[in-house]
Amino acid sequence: MSDIKNNNIQAERDDFASKAASLGVAYLDKTPKVIDNSVINIIPEEVAKKNRIVVFGRDSNAIQVAMIDPQDINALNMLRFIAEKEKREINIYLVSEKILEELFAFYAGPAEMVKEAVRSFSEDVKFDEASDSSHTDRSNEQILKEAPVAKLVQVIVSHAIEGHASDIHIEPMDRDYRVRFRVDGVLHVSLIIPKEIGPVVISRIKILSNLKIDEKRKPQDGRFQLSHNGNPIDFRVSTLPVIDGEKIVMRILDKDKGVSDVESMGLMGLALENMQAAIKETYGMILMTGPTGSGKSTTLYAMLKILNNEERNIITLEDPIEYNIEGLNQSQIKPEIGYTFASGLRTILRQDPNIIMVGEIRDGETAELAVHAALTGHLMFSTLHTNTAIGAIPRMIDMGIEPFLLSSSLRLVMAQRLVRKICENCKIEVDLAESTRDMLMKEVENISTDELNKYGIDLSKEIKFFKGSGCDACNGTGLSGRLAIFEVVRITEAMRNIIIEKRGNENLLTEERDRLGFLTMRQDGILKAFLGKTTIEEIERVTESRVSLEEENN
């Protein structure tokens, strides 16, 4: 069905492109992520909707205008007037009705919603601090549902989803509230909300999440679901008391966006081969490590997707369930009722599983149960918060796992970080300082020719470096989307001996990893920069190195 749908969409695009070519105009096939208020308001909303036209871009020479009918005489006369007023040319783009409606949505941006909320605040939203608490909650809830603040929250959420944000931060400052979106792992300020509106926005989100709106002294956690373009989106909500009030962070969980495959995520070479070999084992443990937000769970989902078939009983314990995958038995833990990773693991071992995924090993009890499950005929996947793949081994021993049990159960340890990819629309070649080039070449000089061949890299030829110059597609950042850099360590017989005899000495394990030619995350990242997938600056950012990256002056 999805193939038919995709074919229909492509056919529609081809028809529009042909029509645009016959009319001698360009074709806009997707909505820009951002349109500046000063740009879209070149044509007032009422006039734009009447004539079915929208201004979506502007540069020093021209204004970009989207139209349903590029032959509309009235609209063209108006555009001539605008061209004279703005002293710029008009570039016309043919668009579909769907794209045009999405462009119209930019008129009702967050800034306008804030102004509307401020205007109505003094009239519509009045909190009676002296009234009975339960009565106040009910009246506030009714007010908030009807007030423009409810629409403001909807607009903030919609813009975050459309901007491909993973998190929304709403936080009090000295004089106002700041709204930030995390896009491709980096926070950007999206909106400033007046001080008097901020607490009402917080209360609205609390009501959606079934949290206590009068409890501001301690953190609360909740969740809610909204529909965006017919697609249900889950939000995981966390509140935190801070010095100026209360902060809220919302994690956006789009369960229907699907799970990528490991190759498209960036797993390559020997690391990919070792992962593929490990998941073919009938029992044992595969550990994924990294900080929060490094994509650990997504990679585990991608591995489970490979193994997912009718012959295997795959059960997961998660907090939260981030993706729905057909064929998996996914269970959400609930610590508040005593359903933890440890208690859940005991239960699912009685459910005749072949493969188990535990969202995170947080304590010794869960670690012990996971190791025993891996030794009793189950393939066990889990995550751990350590900075390196090798670091997972001493960490498990510190949790109380006997070295001989760990050495018998562990098959593979992986670590990863997410880096931003270079925008393909504005990708340009850059020159790095000679000292930087030399340092990078030194870091990869010990990598085997066989491994370099798997990446498609020939160090005997000149290596080119790239960056994005900035365009509309990437909002001027030069970066769009993310991929992972990996460290994948297969547990060998020599490593098992170090785990047992030296209690997993990290230095000895690291030496053995290097002897075997397993790449570090940094080496993997440098090779991906050599391939033009990301920038050296991004690798420096996530691996916390301090190499000078100044470009040569031409």
Side-chain angles (χ1 to χ4, degrees):
M1 287 295 291
S2 62
D3 289 341
I4 295 172
K5 183 180 178 182
N6 290 336
N7 289 337
N8 290 339
I9 292 171
Q10 188 57 50
E12 183 182 359
R13 285 177 176 170
D14 291 343
D15 288 344
F16 270 99
S18 299
K19 183 179 178 182
S22 67
L23 294 170
V25 298
Y27 169 49
L28 183 69
D29 65 344
K30 63 180 180 180
T31 309
K33 292 180 183 177
V34 176
I35 302 176
D36 192 84
N37 283 337
S38 63
V39 171
I40 197 165
N41 284 306
I42 288 174
I43 300 177
E45 183 176 3
E46 301 78 19
V47 178
K49 288 185 174 178
K50 180 181 177 182
N51 290 279
R52 313 297 288 162
I53 59 176
V54 178
V55 178
F56 65 89
R58 175 178 61 184
D59 56 34
S60 58
N61 299 317
I63 294 170
Q64 288 79 47
V65 180
M67 298 182 70
I68 287 289
D69 181 7
Q71 296 178 310
D72 186 325
I73 300 299
N74 291 332
L76 291 172
N77 286 336
M78 187 182 62
L79 290 177
R80 275 192 280 272
F81 170 76
I82 290 171
E84 291 175 10
K85 180 184 174 186
E86 294 284 330
K87 295 182 173 58
R88 288 177 172 89
E89 296 178 1
I90 300 291
N91 292 337
I92 294 173
Y93 289 74
L94 179 70
V95 294
S96 66
E97 286 281 355
K98 179 177 180 293
I99 298 290
L100 190 74
E101 290 302 322
E102 290 174 358
L103 291 170
F104 283 147
F106 282 99
Y107 278 106
E112 286 72 28
M113 296 309 306
V114 170
K115 291 175 185 174
E116 185 180 344
V118 171
R119 282 195 301 271
S120 63
F121 183 76
S122 58
E123 302 169 9
D124 294 340
V125 183
K126 300 205 182 278
F127 290 99
D128 184 0
E129 300 289 350
S131 63
D132 173 72
S133 175
S134 61
H135 172 74
T136 301
D137 285 355
R138 284 197 301 273
S139 61
N140 286 347
E141 181 171 351
Q142 188 60 35
I143 289 167
L144 286 164
K145 282 181 179 177
E146 297 170 355
V149 172
K151 193 172 181 183
L152 173 59
V153 171
Q154 180 71 46
V155 171
I156 289 172
V157 163
S158 296
H159 277 250
I161 295 168
E162 289 160 8
H164 305 290
S166 59
D167 300 87
I168 304 169
H169 293 238
I170 303 175
E171 49 206 351
M173 311 299 286
D174 284 342
R175 296 183 181 85
D176 44 45
Y177 274 68
R178 178 174 66 180
V179 180
R180 293 191 289 172
F181 296 161
R182 188 178 292 280
V183 180
D184 292 339
V186 178
L187 281 169
H188 303 278
V189 176
S190 170
L191 183 65
I192 300 296
I193 299 176
K195 194 77 171 178
E196 65 269 26
I197 299 292
V200 193
V201 171
I202 299 288
S203 294
R204 170 63 179 160
I205 294 168
K206 281 183 166 184
I207 286 168
L208 288 171
S209 312
N210 290 318
L211 302 178
K212 297 177 182 176
I213 66 172
D214 56 345
E215 177 55 83
K216 301 176 182 179
R217 299 165 301 168
K218 64 182 182 181
Q220 297 185 75
D221 293 303
R223 60 187 65 228
F224 66 92
Q225 186 180 89
L226 290 178
S227 178
H228 180 74
N229 294 336
N231 184 29
I233 308 288
D234 278 7
F235 295 83
R236 188 177 70 201
V237 179
S238 172
T239 73
L240 179 72
V242 292
I243 192 167
D244 291 313
E246 202 171 12
K247 170 174 177 170
I248 270 189
V249 175
M250 294 183 280
R251 168 64 57 89
I252 302 172
L253 305 171
D254 187 353
K255 295 183 179 181
D256 292 327
K257 69 181 179 182
V259 177
S260 302
D261 57 78
V262 286
E263 288 93 339
S264 66
M265 291 170 65
L267 200 55
M268 305 172 70
L270 182 60
L272 176 62
E273 293 171 7
N274 283 334
M275 183 280 294
Q276 290 171 332
I279 66 174
K280 288 177 182 175
E281 298 277 350
T282 55
Y283 71 96
M285 179 181 284
I286 296 171
L287 283 179
M288 171 65 69
T289 74
T292 301
S294 60
K296 302 185 298 294
S297 298
T298 305
T299 302
L300 289 184
Y301 278 122
M303 288 190 271
L304 291 178
K305 186 178 174 184
I306 297 171
L307 297 168
N308 187 15
N309 63 38
E310 292 181 355
E311 297 173 359
R312 297 187 177 101
N313 179 19
I314 304 175
I315 305 179
T316 73
L317 282 175
E318 304 177 55
D319 183 28
I321 297 173
E322 296 191 19
Y323 302 97
N324 283 337
I325 303 178
E326 188 176 351
L328 267 59
N329 301 285
Q330 297 172 268
S331 184
Q332 167 76 53
I333 70 161
K334 294 183 174 65
E336 64 273 15
I337 61 170
Y339 184 38
T340 63
F341 283 125
S343 63
L345 190 47
R346 282 196 191 90
T347 301
I348 64 176
L349 285 171
R350 295 192 288 271
Q351 288 281 319
D352 186 31
N354 300 107
I355 298 166
I356 301 168
M357 194 265 270
V358 174
E360 184 184 341
I361 293 177
R362 295 175 178 171
D363 53 56
E365 184 182 10
T366 308
E368 186 178 356
L369 287 165
V371 166
H372 281 287
L375 288 170
T376 53
H378 306 95
L379 192 57
M380 165 67 66
F381 294 84
S382 194
T383 71
L384 204 60
H385 285 284
T386 59
N387 289 325
T388 63
I390 294 293
I393 294 170
R395 177 70 186 279
M396 290 287 282
I397 293 172
D398 288 343
M399 282 183 168
I401 303 302
E402 291 292 341
F404 72 93
L405 291 176
L406 185 61
S407 68
S408 301
S409 61
L410 202 55
R411 294 284 178 269
L412 195 78
V413 283
M414 301 174 63
Q416 76 174 66
R417 301 288 188 277
L418 294 175
V419 295
R420 291 177 290 175
K421 295 191 292 186
I422 298 171
C423 176
E424 292 296 330
N425 289 331
C426 58
K427 189 174 182 179
I428 58 171
E429 188 177 343
V430 294
D431 290 322
L432 289 187
E434 198 63 38
S435 59
T436 303
R437 281 178 172 268
D438 291 344
M439 190 171 294
L440 293 173
M441 296 305 289
K442 189 173 181 180
E443 291 195 52
V444 299
E445 65 183 2
N446 293 326
I447 298 176
S448 69
T449 304
D450 184 47
E451 180 74 332
L452 291 170
N453 289 338
K454 289 172 183 174
Y455 277 74
I457 292 172
D458 185 353
L459 294 182
S460 65
K461 297 178 180 178
E462 183 186 1
I463 300 295
K464 295 181 179 180
F465 294 90
F466 298 88
K467 73 172 186 179
S469 59
C471 64
D472 288 340
C474 61
N475 294 328
T477 63
L479 300 159
S480 179
R482 289 192 286 181
L483 82 159
I485 58 173
F486 293 93
E487 175 184 338
V488 178
V489 179
R490 177 170 49 84
I491 305 302
T492 63
E493 198 59 42
M495 288 185 175
R496 289 193 179 94
N497 291 334
I498 295 171
I499 294 172
I500 296 171
E501 296 170 10
K502 304 295 183 182
R503 293 188 62 83
N505 182 284
E506 195 163 351
N507 290 333
L508 293 175
L509 288 169
T510 301
E511 288 174 10
E512 179 63 15
R513 176 201 65 191
D514 294 342
R515 188 187 70 78
L516 292 166
F518 300 151
L519 299 190
T520 64
M521 273 188 294
R522 183 167 171 77
Q523 288 174 323
D524 181 43
I526 291 171
L527 293 184
K528 283 166 181 168
F530 286 0
L531 292 170
K533 295 176 181 289
T534 187
T535 66
I536 293 297
E537 287 87 348
E538 277 295 292
I539 304 305
E540 300 300 324
R541 179 177 68 84
V542 301
T543 58
E544 299 177 357
S545 183
R546 297 184 179 277
V547 177
S548 170
L549 292 172
E550 294 180 3
E551 294 178 16
E552 292 180 338
N553 294 321
N554 293 325

